[in-house]
Amino acid sequence: MLEPAAVTAVMRALADPTRRAVFERIAGADEVTVVELTRGSGVTQGAISQHLKSLKLAGLVAERPEGRNVYYRAAPGGLEPLADWMSHYGVFWRERFASLRALLGELDAAPAPRKDADR
Protein backbone atom coordinates (compact mmCIF):
# COMPACT_ATOMS: atom_id res chain seq x y z
CA MET A 1 0.00 0.00 0.00
CA LEU A 2 1.29 3.44 -0.88
CA GLU A 3 1.88 5.77 2.06
CA PRO A 4 1.21 9.31 0.78
CA ALA A 5 3.02 11.00 3.69
CA ALA A 6 6.19 8.96 3.15
CA VAL A 7 6.15 9.59 -0.61
CA THR A 8 5.62 13.32 -0.02
CA ALA A 9 8.47 13.48 2.50
CA VAL A 10 10.91 11.80 0.10
CA MET A 11 9.82 13.96 -2.84
CA ARG A 12 10.13 17.16 -0.81
CA ALA A 13 13.55 16.15 0.46
CA LEU A 14 14.85 15.38 -3.03
CA ALA A 15 13.16 18.35 -4.74
CA ASP A 16 15.96 20.70 -3.71
CA PRO A 17 18.93 20.30 -6.10
CA THR A 18 21.54 20.97 -3.39
CA ARG A 19 19.93 18.48 -1.03
CA ARG A 20 19.73 15.95 -3.85
CA ALA A 21 23.45 16.45 -4.53
CA VAL A 22 24.19 15.92 -0.82
CA PHE A 23 22.15 12.72 -0.86
CA GLU A 24 23.96 11.49 -3.99
CA ARG A 25 27.33 12.10 -2.35
CA ILE A 26 26.21 10.18 0.75
CA ALA A 27 24.81 7.33 -1.35
CA GLY A 28 28.11 7.12 -3.24
CA ALA A 29 30.14 6.70 -0.05
CA ASP A 30 30.06 4.16 2.75
CA GLU A 31 29.90 6.91 5.38
CA VAL A 32 30.68 10.61 5.29
CA THR A 33 30.88 13.47 7.80
CA VAL A 34 29.45 16.98 7.53
CA VAL A 35 32.98 18.31 7.10
CA GLU A 36 33.59 15.98 4.15
CA LEU A 37 30.25 16.95 2.61
CA THR A 38 31.01 20.65 3.03
CA ARG A 39 34.46 20.40 1.44
CA GLY A 40 34.23 21.42 -2.21
CA SER A 41 30.45 21.81 -2.18
CA GLY A 42 30.29 25.61 -2.18
CA VAL A 43 27.74 25.38 0.64
CA THR A 44 28.27 26.31 4.29
CA GLN A 45 28.51 23.69 7.00
CA GLY A 46 25.30 25.05 8.55
CA ALA A 47 23.44 24.65 5.25
CA ILE A 48 24.75 21.09 4.87
CA SER A 49 23.53 20.33 8.40
CA GLN A 50 20.06 21.64 7.52
CA HIS A 51 19.97 19.52 4.37
CA LEU A 52 21.04 16.48 6.39
CA LYS A 53 18.24 17.15 8.86
CA SER A 54 15.67 17.14 6.04
CA LEU A 55 17.15 13.98 4.53
CA LYS A 56 17.11 12.28 7.92
CA LEU A 57 13.47 13.27 8.59
CA ALA A 58 12.53 11.82 5.19
CA GLY A 59 14.22 8.55 6.12
CA LEU A 60 16.87 8.86 3.42
CA VAL A 61 19.96 8.97 5.65
CA ALA A 62 21.01 7.46 8.95
CA GLU A 63 23.65 8.77 11.31
CA ARG A 64 26.25 7.19 13.54
CA PRO A 65 27.89 9.40 16.16
CA GLU A 66 31.51 8.64 17.01
CA GLY A 67 33.25 11.03 19.35
CA ARG A 68 32.94 14.56 17.97
CA ASN A 69 32.00 13.33 14.51
CA VAL A 70 28.72 12.13 13.13
CA TYR A 71 28.90 9.80 10.16
CA TYR A 72 26.07 9.74 7.64
CA ARG A 73 25.13 6.92 5.30
CA ALA A 74 22.23 6.28 2.93
CA ALA A 75 19.41 4.53 4.77
CA PRO A 76 18.39 1.17 3.37
CA GLY A 77 14.84 1.44 2.14
CA GLY A 78 14.83 5.23 2.23
CA LEU A 79 13.81 5.47 -1.41
CA GLU A 80 11.32 2.60 -1.13
CA PRO A 81 8.20 4.82 -0.84
CA LEU A 82 9.22 6.70 -3.98
CA ALA A 83 10.10 3.47 -5.84
CA ASP A 84 6.70 1.99 -4.88
CA TRP A 85 4.91 5.12 -6.05
CA MET A 86 6.80 5.10 -9.37
CA SER A 87 6.10 1.40 -9.83
CA HIS A 88 2.38 1.98 -9.28
CA TYR A 89 2.25 4.75 -11.85
CA GLY A 90 4.56 2.86 -14.20
CA VAL A 91 1.87 0.17 -14.49
CA PHE A 92 -0.80 2.85 -14.91
CA TRP A 93 1.03 4.56 -17.79
CA ARG A 94 2.07 1.31 -19.50
CA GLU A 95 -1.60 0.31 -19.62
CA ARG A 96 -2.59 3.71 -21.02
CA PHE A 97 0.14 3.64 -23.68
CA ALA A 98 -0.88 0.10 -24.67
CA SER A 99 -4.47 1.30 -25.12
CA LEU A 100 -3.27 4.28 -27.15
CA ARG A 101 -1.12 2.02 -29.37
CA ALA A 102 -4.13 -0.24 -29.97
CA LEU A 103 -6.34 2.73 -30.86
CA LEU A 104 -3.74 4.16 -33.23
CA GLY A 105 -3.39 0.73 -34.83
CA GLU A 106 -7.14 0.60 -35.40
CA LEU A 107 -7.11 4.09 -36.90
CA ASP A 108 -4.24 3.18 -39.22
CA ALA A 109 -6.08 0.03 -40.35
CA ALA A 110 -9.39 1.84 -41.02
CA PRO A 111 -10.01 2.82 -44.63
CA ALA A 112 -9.49 6.50 -45.39
CA PRO A 113 -12.70 8.48 -46.03
CA ARG A 114 -13.40 9.28 -49.69
CA LYS A 115 -12.90 12.91 -50.59
CA ASP A 116 -15.69 13.00 -53.17
CA ALA A 117 -18.27 11.82 -50.61
CA ASP A 118 -18.86 15.39 -49.41
CA ARG A 119 -19.89 16.70 -52.87
Side-chain angles (χ1 to χ4, degrees):
M1 183 72 187
L2 296 174
E3 297 178 36
V7 174
T8 299
V10 172
M11 285 185 168
R12 279 191 180 146
L14 296 176
D16 181 274
T18 303
R19 193 173 304 128
R20 197 168 46 248
V22 168
F23 176 72
E24 289 173 7
R25 286 187 63 196
I26 294 169
D30 287 333
E31 289 186 322
V32 64
T33 65
V34 174
V35 173
E36 292 168 325
L37 288 168
T38 304
R39 196 176 305 132
S41 70
V43 180
T44 66
Q45 187 169 335
I48 293 289
S49 293
Q50 288 298 310
H51 288 304
L52 287 168
K53 180 180 178 183
S54 295
L55 291 168
K56 186 178 170 193
L57 288 172
L60 294 168
V61 298
E63 62 183 20
R64 179 181 62 84
E66 184 178 291
R68 292 181 54 166
N69 291 318
V70 177
Y71 293 88
Y72 292 90
R73 66 186 177 285
L79 290 172
E80 192 171 321
L82 183 59
D84 290 347
W85 183 84
M86 290 174 58
S87 175
H88 172 78
Y89 282 98
V91 170
F92 172 84
W93 285 112
R94 278 191 294 280
E95 290 172 356
R96 296 311 182 276
F97 286 133
S99 297
L100 180 59
R101 262 191 236 83
L103 176 63
L104 292 174
E106 289 173 18
L107 292 175
D108 282 345
R114 295 181 55 195
K115 292 185 180 187
D116 64 333
D118 292 334
R119 294 183 187 179

